[in-house]
Amino acid sequence: MKILHTSDWHVGKVLKGQSRAEEHKQVLAGVIEIAHAERPDLVIVAGDLYDTAAPSPEATRLVTRALTALRRTGADVVAIGGNHDNGNALDALRPWAEAAGITLRGGVRENPAEHVIDGVTADGERWQLAALPFLSQRYAVRAVEMYELTAAEATQTYADHLGRVLAKLTEGFTEPDRVHLVTAHLTVVGASTGGGERDAHTVLGYAVPASVFPGTAHYVALGHLHRSQRVIGPCPIRYSGSPIAVDFGEQENICSVTLVEVGATSAARIREVPVSAAVPLRTVRGTLAQLAAAEPPEGWLRVFVREQPRAGLREEVQELFPRALEIRIDPELLPTPGSGTRVAQRAGRSPRELFADYLGSRGHEDDGVRGLFDELLEEVER
């Protein structure tokens, strides 16, 4: 059978105030075009369909149309909730999804059988997919209790709980004539972040070892980390990565979907298919003179200015680079803690003196900014 694995669409993403709705339309159209060309038997969307738990009507319309279009290619479609998604809201769409022939699992349900999906390809290859949406730490404990596994103890780790849940969902991976698959939205120890993930859900407390996946699985389709990559483990494990660079930290990532060909008695053959419809993200550096002499690169820009901070600097850079979404003083020029900067002593000092010391500690010696502060202070003290 052939599988198209994608994840982390983050539809509804706003980058530094810039809507990316049109880019997402083009990116998802590219994913659908790949599905038409490759004719997969199964499409797996491994979480984070949306960028926010409260997506706009426009974002909801785009996601539901994309899932419907993927289903119309003839493939079975399974999508799970990620940490950015509202699992309950996704589950509320299940009646629509079932009517459209789409399998949607937003959150973990009380009956583990709901997360084990069976199917058969047009050529008669039988498959079974264990689908695990994102679980926060507190809900991981509840899931263990719901499934009546060993008693959840306070000292057990998040990885312990997810290991038990996955063991329950994959306990039927024993039939030799069926393809056994897993999809989940989580962080695996040793995998590389893409640069735009939510930090609170990628820290060590949320990471699990690859050993939580059974050696009987033919392929594990993961979401959550935005960089396409293989994970070493007891079976083929892979992040598809995001098909769109979500933030500037991901500008070097290769945006793609993953195609997998696998059989019950044949090893998975994996390849990446690039998706290049999004506007590229670029970072440029230089002094104001260097920036003025440079040709503005294509794409959305992050500009690191190699100048001392001063009033009006941002506006000058914005005039040179109208597509700059983020303008900052180059971090290499900013003073670091303990570098000998002045520390303001509060007692007996005026707000003007304290503010002047603050500016000095930040390398921001600018009479114009001090003048603006004086005007504001006078307004407040009237």
Side-chain angles (χ1 to χ4, degrees):
M1 65 181 296
K2 183 183 284 189
I3 303 161
L4 189 155
H5 167 203
T6 181
S7 72
D8 297 277
W9 292 355
H10 287 274
V11 174
K13 173 69 177 179
V14 175
L15 179 60
K16 313 298 181 184
Q18 173 65 45
S19 170
R20 307 191 74 191
E22 288 303 317
E23 292 178 71
H24 266 113
K25 289 178 184 177
Q26 298 301 318
V27 166
L28 293 182
V31 173
I32 294 162
E33 184 178 340
I34 292 170
H36 275 291
E38 295 287 346
R39 309 301 297 179
D41 301 291
L42 172 65
V43 174
I44 298 174
V45 188
D48 279 356
L49 287 81
Y50 299 105
D51 190 61
T52 171
S56 67
E58 180 185 24
T60 302
R61 182 164 52 248
L62 180 54
V63 166
T64 53
R65 285 180 175 176
L67 293 174
T68 301
L70 288 169
R71 176 68 180 126
R72 285 176 178 165
T73 66
D76 288 305
V77 177
V78 178
I80 61 173
N83 60 306
H84 281 253
D85 298 316
N86 184 325
N88 290 332
L90 283 180
D91 282 330
L93 291 174
R94 283 180 61 171
W96 160 81
E98 289 167 3
I102 298 163
T103 301
L104 195 57
R105 296 292 181 267
V108 175
R109 308 298 285 262
E110 293 186 9
N111 181 4
E114 288 197 50
H115 296 277
V116 181
I117 301 146
D118 294 303
V120 60
T121 71
D123 293 333
E125 185 81 77
R126 297 169 60 232
W127 55 268
Q128 185 174 78
L129 172 66
L132 180 63
F134 176 76
L135 274 175
S136 67
Q137 288 177 325
R138 60 175 177 158
Y139 284 106
V141 176
R142 288 182 55 186
V144 170
E145 293 171 339
M146 282 193 306
Y147 292 175
E148 297 179 351
L149 304 173
T150 59
E153 299 175 358
T155 57
Q156 289 177 321
T157 67
Y158 179 78
D160 292 331
H161 298 314
L162 255 67
R164 288 179 168 83
V165 171
L166 282 165
K168 181 67 176 179
L169 298 183
T170 61
E171 63 185 6
F173 282 16
T174 56
E175 297 184 37
D177 60 345
R178 182 162 58 181
V179 178
H180 302 130
L181 306 167
V182 177
T183 185
H185 193 88
L186 45 75
T187 302
V188 177
V189 174
S192 301
T193 58
E197 299 87 351
R198 185 172 288 168
D199 289 342
H201 292 150
T202 56
V203 294
L204 190 58
Y206 268 97
V208 303
S211 58
V212 298
F213 302 111
T216 51
H218 291 86
Y219 182 73
V220 177
L222 296 181
H224 192 28
L225 302 187
H226 297 173
R227 179 174 296 168
S228 175
Q229 61 192 292
R230 173 196 174 203
V231 178
I232 297 174
C235 55
I237 305 168
R238 190 169 184 85
Y239 286 97
S240 69
S242 176
I244 182 173
V246 174
D247 210 332
F248 285 104
E250 302 181 7
Q251 62 187 25
E252 302 300 328
N253 292 355
I254 298 174
C255 298
S256 62
V257 297
T258 299
L259 269 294
V260 184
E261 294 183 64
V262 63
T265 59
S266 59
R269 291 178 294 170
I270 299 168
R271 56 191 170 94
E272 293 181 35
V273 180
V275 180
S276 57
V279 175
L281 306 183
R282 316 275 192 200
T283 297
V284 295
R285 280 182 162 89
T287 64
L288 197 60
Q290 290 170 334
L291 294 174
E295 185 73 23
E298 179 188 359
W300 302 120
L301 304 180
R302 174 175 63 179
V303 183
F304 287 155
V305 191
R306 302 189 64 84
E307 303 270 357
Q308 290 301 315
R310 58 180 171 78
L313 181 59
R314 176 184 177 84
E315 288 72 15
E316 292 179 55
V317 175
Q318 192 78 61
E319 187 174 346
L320 294 172
F321 296 97
R323 302 202 75 179
L325 301 182
E326 181 180 349
I327 300 171
R328 297 169 51 194
I329 300 301
D330 194 320
E332 295 177 1
L333 298 184
L334 295 176
T336 57
S339 61
T341 56
R342 289 174 289 171
V343 178
Q345 300 296 321
R346 297 177 64 88
R349 310 192 68 194
S350 71
R352 288 181 176 86
E353 291 172 322
L354 292 172
F355 186 65
D357 266 340
Y358 168 76
L359 290 179
S361 73
R362 303 297 293 174
H364 200 130
E365 300 283 359
D366 187 340
D367 291 338
V369 173
R370 278 196 290 267
L372 290 172
F373 178 82
D374 289 344
E375 292 179 20
L376 290 171
L377 185 61
E378 288 174 7
E379 185 73 25
V380 171
E381 289 178 343
R382 284 177 186 173

